[in-house]
Amino acid sequence: MMERLKGLSTPSRDNLVTYALVFAAWAVMQSLASAHAISSSMVGLLVPITAYVSLAISLNLVVGISGELSLGHAGFMSVGAFTGLVVAQILAPSVASGPLRLLVSMLAAGGVAALAGLVVGVPVMRLQGDYLAIVTLAFGEIIKNLLNNLYVGFDGGLHLSMTNVASLGMSGGKVLINGPQGAVGIEKLSSFMAGMLLVLFTLLVVTNLVNSRSGRAIMAVRDNRIAAESVGIDTTKYRLMAFVVAAALAGMAGALYAMNFSSIVPKKFDFNTSILILVFVVLGGMGNIRGGIISAALLTVLPEKLRFIGDFRMLIYAVVLISVMLFSNNAQVRMTLDGIRTRLARKDDDEALADGERGGGAHA
Amino acid sequence: MGLLTNLINGISLGSVYAIIALGYTMVYGIAKMLNFAHGDVIMVGGYICFIAMNNVGLPPVVAVLLSIVGCTCLGIVVERLAYKPLREAPSLAVLITAIGVSYFLQNTALLVWGADPKAFRSVIDSPSIKLFNGQLTVSPVSIVTVLACVAIMVGLTLFTSRTKMGKAMRACSEDKGAAQLMGINVNTTISMVFAIGSGLAAIAGVLLCSTYPTLMPTTGSLPGIKAFTAAVIGGIGSIPGAALGGVLLGIIEIFAKAYIGTQLADAIVFAVLIVVLLIRPAGLLGKEIHEKV
Amino acid sequence: MAMLKVADLNVYYGSIHAVKGVSFEVEEGEIVTLIGANGAGKSTTLNTVAGLLKLRTGSIEFEGESLVGIPAHKMIAKGIALCPEGRRVFQDLTVRDNLDMGAFTRSDDEVVEMRKVVYERFPRLRERRRQRAGTLSGGEQQMLAMGRALMGRPKLMMLDEPSMGLAPILVQEIFDIVKVLNEMGTTVLLVEQNARMALSIADRAYVLETGRVVTMGTGAELLQDDEVRKAYLGG
Amino acid sequence: DSSAGGGSASAGDTFMIGGIGPVTGAAAIYGSATKYGAQVAVDEVNAAGAVKMELNWQDDEHDPEKSVNAYNTLKDWGMQILVGTTTTTPCVAVSTETNADRIFQLTPSASSVNVLGGEEIGADSPRKDNVFQMCFTDPNQGTASAQYISQQKLGTKIAVIYNNADAYSTGIYQKFVEEAGALELEIVSTQTFTDDQTDFSVQVGDAKDKGADLLFLPIYYTPASLILSEAKKQGYAPRFFGVDGMDGILTLEGFDTELAEGVMLLTPFVATAEDEATQAFNEAYKAASGSNENPNQFAADAYDCVKALAQAIETAGITPDMATDAMCDALIAQFTDPGFSYAGLTGESSWSVTGEVTKTPKGMVIEGGVYMPLDA
Amino acid sequence: MPRTEGTYKAQSERAAGTTTGQRPAAKRQRTKMVAPPNDYLVPERDALLTPVLECRHLGIDFGGLHAVEDLNLMVGKTEIAGLIGPNGAGKTTVFNLLTKVYQPTRGTILLDGQDTAGMDTARVSREGIARTFQNIRLFDSLSVEDNVKIGLHNQVSCGMWSGIFRMPRYWLSEKEFHDKALELLDVFHMADNATDIAGSLPYGAQRRLEIVRALATNPKLLLLDEPAAGMNPVETEELMDNIVRVRDRFQIAVLLIEHDMDLVMGICEGIVVLNFGRLIAKGTPEEIQANPQVVEAYLGKQD
Ligand SMILES: Nc1ncnc2c1ncn2[C@@H]1O[C@H](COP(=O)(O)OP(=O)(O)OP(=O)(O)O)[C@@H](O)[C@H]1O
Ligand SMILES: Nc1ncnc2c1ncn2[C@@H]1O[C@H](COP(=O)(O)OP(=O)(O)OP(=O)(O)O)[C@@H](O)[C@H]1O
Ligand SMILES: [Mg+2]
Ligand SMILES: [Mg+2]
C-alpha cells in the first residue's frame, strides 16, 4: 500500500484533492442542514446540485477527456429519469425500503441509458467534430420527442402506448408517464445522501477510467486520431466507451433528479438542459473534473442567489456567463494564471524532488 | 390537391429555414463558430420591423430596411464585444459565449418588449392567390420568401467564390495568421461576415414572422435550431447546401406532420438529419475534407 | 541606413521568454540569414517583425519607421512579406486562389502579371493551378507558399525555412530563386536549418542560441568559423 | 418593486403572500399577467385597510425545479400563503411541497386535477387538502363547451386542434370528446401540437379537407391567433369556438381583430365588460404592469385569488401572527365551508372539498372587435 | 556554386573524417546486396528469410491522378531501406497505403508473407507496421510516458472494468506499462523527460518520441517519414546512429523517406526511387547516386 501511495502520479494526487473537496462539502452541508443552519432555499438545492455535479463529471468524460462535443447529454438524463420513475413505481408494492428502491431504479436507469448511449453512439461515432455535435443534439431532440409520445401505465402489469392514455387499455391502476405531460405524483425518494453517493460513484468511475489503459486510449484518440490508429488503437471502440459510460452515469443522475420532484416532463430535458451541463463543463475547464464540479455547484446556486434583483435575474446570469468566458480566456489573465501555476508547479516539483531524495535515501 | 398544398406549405416553411440556414452557414463557414445566438438576432429583427410598422407607422419596406440595418449593427457590435476577444480561445469557449449572448438577447427583449407575444402583421399585405377554385391557395409571403431565398443563395455564392473579399473570407476561415500576412485585415473581414449574417437574419426574421405571425422573445430559438439542422443536412459551410437543406427540411417536416403525425414530426426531421449524415458524413453538398496525413 | 533594424527584442509566450534581447540589421539589397538550433527563437523573431506576435520590449524599424504596434495586415503594404514556417497555404483554396491572395492589396492587372512570373518560376504550380492546395505534397506546398509571398512584390522578403522537406534538386532551386530574387532587388531575411547553404548565399549572418545572438559575421566568415562548423554544419 | 423580496418578514401585522409564476422564458406572459393581477389586488386590500398583505413574486421559468427553488426562497422570506403557481407542471411539484409544509395554496391558473390530487377527480396522486384552484378544472370546460355547441346547434362536423403537451388543453379536449360522444356530435378531425410550434398549415388544412364547419380550440390565445391567421391564408372560414384560454386574443398587440370576428368562447372574464369592477381593474393593471394592454383572464384569476383570500381571512378572523399550519387549517375550513362564496371579476366562486372551483362561464362572441354576450 | 558536400562521401571516409568520433564505424559498414530470384533487392543476410514487406503492383488514384502506380517493392527482414523521390512523387502516399490510411486502388501488400487486404490502420499496426508522420503527430497534451504507454496499448492487457474498479489486474498492468515505457524511453535517452508534456518538447525530442512510440507497438517494420526534417546536420548525425541502433537492438526492418542525402546515403542499405508515383530506380546508395535518371529528377546536377 505504501508502495502504491508513493508511486502516485500527479493526476492521482490531483484526484485525491478532488475527493477531499467533495467529502468536505458533504460534511459541511450535511451538518449545516441537520442543524437547520441553512436556508430552505439552500436545502432545496442540495439534491439538484448533486445531480448536476454528477452530470458535469460524466459529460466531462465525453467533452473534456474524449474530446467530442456532445449537445445531447440531457437526452440520456431523461431516459434515466423516466426509466427510474417507472422502476420505482413498479417496485413500490414489493420493496418497502425507499433507499433500496432508489438504488435499484438508479441502476436500472443507468443500464437503460447506457443502452440508449450505445444505440446513439454506434452511428454517431462515424462522425467527427461539429457533425458529431449536431447529431447528438438531434438525438437529444428525438429522445425528447419520443418521450413526448410515450404513455406508460401500471396496473399490476406494464402497459405501453405511443398514441394516448386511452390506448393503454388499463384496468384501474395508474398512468406513470402521460406523454408530453410527463409524470406526476412521483414519490420523493431522492436525498442529499443519495446524491452525494452518486457524485462519489461518478467521480470514482470517471477518474479511474481516465487513469487506466482505456482512459489513455480515449485521450490518445482525442489528441490525434490518426496517430492513435497508427499505434493500433480501435478508435471507435474507445470513443464509444467514453460515450456509453457517460450516458449511463447521466441516466443515473437523471433518475436521482426526477425522484426529487413530484412532477417531471420530457420537455425539461431539452437542448437547453444539455447546454446548461455543457456550460458547467466548459466553465470548469474542459477535462478539469474538479473545475466542473465547482462550476456546476456555483452555477446552480447563482440564479437562485440572484433572485433579489428580480426581473433582471436572467439577464445578469447571461452577462455573468459572457464575462466569465471573456475573462478566463483573456490573454493577460491567462498569462498571470500560467505564471502562478508554473510557480506552484515548480514548488510541487521541488517537493517531489525532496521526497524522491528522501525516498532514495531510505532505500540506500 | 392535399399533396400539392402540403408541398407548397413545405417549400414555404423550408425557404424560411433556408434563409436562416444561409446566415448560419455563412458565419460557421468563415468564423468557424456555431453561433447559437443567430436565432435571437432573427427575433430582434422581427421586433424592429414590428415596432417600426406598428408603433411608428412606417411603411413595410422602410421597416424591413430598418430591421436589416439594426441587425447588421447588432451583429457587428456583438462580434466586437463578445466574440472578437475570443479569437485565440478554444472553440467551445466561443460556443458558450454565443449561448450567453443568446440568453442576453432573449432576456433583454423580454425586458424591453415584454412577455406578451405580438401579432406580427405580414409585410406583404395582399390576399392569398387562389388556384383551382380556391382549393389551392398560395400566400404572397411564401412567394416572396422563395424568391428571396434563391436571390440570397445566388448572391452569396457569387460573393464568396468570385469576389476578392469573398475569397479573403475563406482565407481567414482557414488561417488567420497567414491571411494577415497577405494583407487581409482579419478583424474587418470577420466583422463583415457577421454583418452579412445578421443582415440575413433580419430578413429571415421578417419573413418568418410574416409567415407565422407571432413574435415573442423566444421566437427565434426553435427555428434557429431547425435551420442549423438544415445547414448541416446541406453540408455546413456550403451555401447552396444550406438552401437545399432548408427547403428539404421544410418539406419533410410538413409531410411528416401531414402523413405520419404532428407529434413525431420533429423526431422525423432529426432522424433524417442523422440518416443523411451517416450516408454523407459532410452533408448533401458538403465537401468531405480528408486530413492529409 | 539599415533597411530593417531590430534592437534588443524581447518576446514572450505567456511566461516563456523565447527571444531575449536580439538585435540585428538588414541593409537594403542584402541577404541576411539567421541560423541556430531548433527552438533558438528564429521563427519567433520573424513572426514578431511581421507583426504576428507582440514584443514585450525592444524596437523594430523599417526604412526609418517604427513597426512596433503595426498590425500584420499592414506589413505587405509597407513592402514586407513573410513566407511562414510550415508553409501555411490555404488548404481549401485552389493553387491559383492562393496565389491571388498573395497580391490581395494589389490591382487585378498586377495580379495577372505577377501570376505569370510565379508560374514561370514554378511550372508545377501552373500544372496544379486548379488543385486544392491541401492535397499538394509537402514540396509543392512550399513552392506555393513562396510563390504566394512573391505575388506581393515585397521589398523585404522574410523566408522561414523555405528548404524544409524539399528534394535536393529543389533545395538547390529554392536557393537559386532566393539569389535571383535578391538580384532583382528584393532584400532577403532568411531563416534556415540548412546552415551550409544559407551561409553560402548570405551576405551576412547571425547565429542564435536560446533566444540570443551569439555570433555574427559575413557568410563566408561563419562558414570557416570552427565553433559554427562544429555546432551547425556537422562533420 | 414587490418582486424584490428576499428580505425577512416584517412584523406580525402583515400577511406574507408568496407568488410563483414564470416571468422569463417562453411562458412569461402567463406569469407576468398573474404577477401584476395579484399585485393590483394586494394594493387594493391594503388600501381597504382591514387586512394587510405583502406580496413577493418569484420567477420559476415554467420549470418544476425552478418552481420548487422559488418556493423555498419564499419560505425563507416567511411566506404564509401561496398564490400560485401559474402553470400546471410546476404547480404539481410545488403543491406537494406546500402540502408537506402545511402552507395554504390557491392557484390562479394551474388547472390540472393533479394540482389538487384526489382519486375522486381522477388525479394520479392523493388529495392535497391545502390546495385550491381559482380557475376551472379542465374537465368542466370541455363538458360545458360540448353542451353549448350541441344546444345551440353551432356545428355538425367538428374539428379540434389541441396542445397535447399541455395538461390544460388535453384535459378539456378529453372531456369534450366524451361529452360530444354522448351528445352525438360528429368530430371529423383531431389534430395536436406542442409548445413552440408556429406552423399550423397541416392542422388547419386537415380540418378544411375534412369539411369541418366548427373548429374547437381548447387552447391559449397565442397559438389560437396563429390558427386564425392560417385559416385566413387557406381561405377557410368555419365557426371558431374557444375556451377561457382564448381570452386575451383581442389584447394581443398588433393582432388584426378582424381575424377573430365571430369567434365564440366560454370565459369567466372579459376585460371589455362594462362593469365598474372590471374597468377599475383594467386601469390599475395597466398602471401596475406599465403597459397599455388590457389584463387577460390569468390576471383576473390572480386578482381574484388575493381578494378571495382577503375575504376568507376576514370572515374566518385569521390573524397574521398565527402559525402557518394553523392558518392553513383555518383557511381550508373557510374555503370548504358550504356557506363561503366569493364574487369577483371572474364571477361568483365557491369551492368543494376537492379543491375545485364552481363558477359559471359566460358565452361570448367577438363582434366588431369586442366581446358580446352570446346569450343576449 | 558549390554543392553541400560535393558528392556524398562513402561511409568509411565519413567515419574517419568525423570530429565527433562517437560513431561506431562498424555499424555503418556497407552491406552486400544480392538479388533474390525475382528482381527485388534485399540484404544478403535477409535473402533466405521471408521479406518483412512485399508490395506487388500497388497503386492508388486520387480522382484522375495516379498518385502511386504499379509499385513493386520488397524490404528484407532487418533491412534499413530508403524511399526517395521528388516532392509529390507519392512517397508519403506509399506509407499511407501500407498503413491503410488509404485503401489501395490496385495491388497487394504482403506483411511478413501475409496479405493485408481488408485490414484497417489499427489492425495493420497490430500486425506489425509502425510509423511516424511527416508532420509530427504526438498526443500533445499527454506526458511523454503516456505517449509511450499508448504505443504499448496492445502489448499489455487490462480491460475497462479492471480499470474502473481497480482490480489486481489493473495494478499489475500499470506496473508493466511503466516499466516497459521507461525501458523504451531509455533507448533514446529520454527517460528523464518522462513526465514532460509531449507538446512542449523541443522539436528534435518530439521526433525522437514519435519513434519511441512507434517502437512501443513492437513492430516488424518501422516506417519513418522524413525523420530528419528540420534538424541541423549535427542532430541528423545523432538520428542516424539512433536508427541503426534501433534496427540492431530490435532486429526489425526500417523503411524511411528522407530528403537529407547525408542520412539516406549514410544508413540505407537498399534505396528505391519514385517519380510521378512510379518506381524509376532501385539499388545501393552508390548505384542510385550514379543513376542519371535519379540525378536528373531528384538529386540535381552537382557541379
Ligand atoms: N506558440 C508557442 N507557445 C509557447 N512556446 C512557444 C510557442 N512557439 C514557440 N515557442 C517556444 O519559443 C522558443 C523559440 O521558438 P521558435 O519557433 O522561434 O524557434 P526556431 O528557432 O524557429 O526553431 P525551429 O528551428 O524549430 O523552427 C522555443 O523554446 C519554443 O518552444
Ligand atoms: N488525399 C489526396 N487527394 C488528392 N491528391 C493527393 C492526396 N494525397 C496526396 N495527393 C497527391 O499525390 C501526390 C503524392 O503526394 P505525397 O504526399 O505522397 O508526396 P511525397 O512524395 O510524400 O512528397 P513530399 O516529399 O513533398 O512529402 C501529390 O501530387 C499530392 O498532391
Ligand atoms: Mg522555426
Ligand atoms: Mg511526403
Side-chain angles (χ1 to χ4, degrees), chain D residues 293-306:
Chain D
E293 277 142 56
N294 269 332
N296 57 21
Q297 154 242 334
F298 283 88
D301 277 332
Y303 173 90
D304 277 354
C305 281
V306 173

Side-chain angles (χ1 to χ4, degrees), chain E residues 92 134 225-226:
Chain E
T92 300
Q134 185 166 355
D225 198 345
E226 300 198 20

Side-chain angles (χ1 to χ4, degrees), chain A residues 130 145 149 271 286 314-315, chain B residues 28 92 107-108 225 263 266:
Chain A
D130 292 337
N145 208 281
N149 286 279
F271 173 64
M286 269 179 299
M314 294 314 286
L315 189 69
Chain B
Y28 180 89
L92 257 183
N107 284 289
T108 310
I225 293 183
Q263 290 312 302
D266 280 354

Side-chain angles (χ1 to χ4, degrees), chain D residues 228-252:
Chain D
L228 292 177
S229 109
E230 179 66 34
K232 183 185 174 207
K233 209 193 282 174
Q234 298 196 9
Y236 172 51
R239 205 185 277 273
F240 295 100
F241 196 97
V243 289
D244 61 353
M246 182 76 96
D247 175 53
I249 194 157
L250 292 179
T251 65
L252 199 56

Side-chain angles (χ1 to χ4, degrees), chain D residues 145-154 183 185:
Chain D
S145 300
Q147 283 165 354
Y148 196 88
I149 291 169
S150 160
Q151 277 161 22
Q152 308 281 327
K153 305 205 176 2
L154 295 177
L183 297 169
L185 290 171

Side-chain angles (χ1 to χ4, degrees), chain B residues 292-293, chain C residues 137-139 165, chain E residues 86-93 134 225-226 257 259:
Chain B
K292 188 169 184 293
V293 183
Chain C
S137 80
Chain E
N87 296 110
K91 304 178 297 294
T92 300
T93 306
Q134 185 166 355
D225 198 345
E226 300 198 20
I257 299 174
H259 290 303

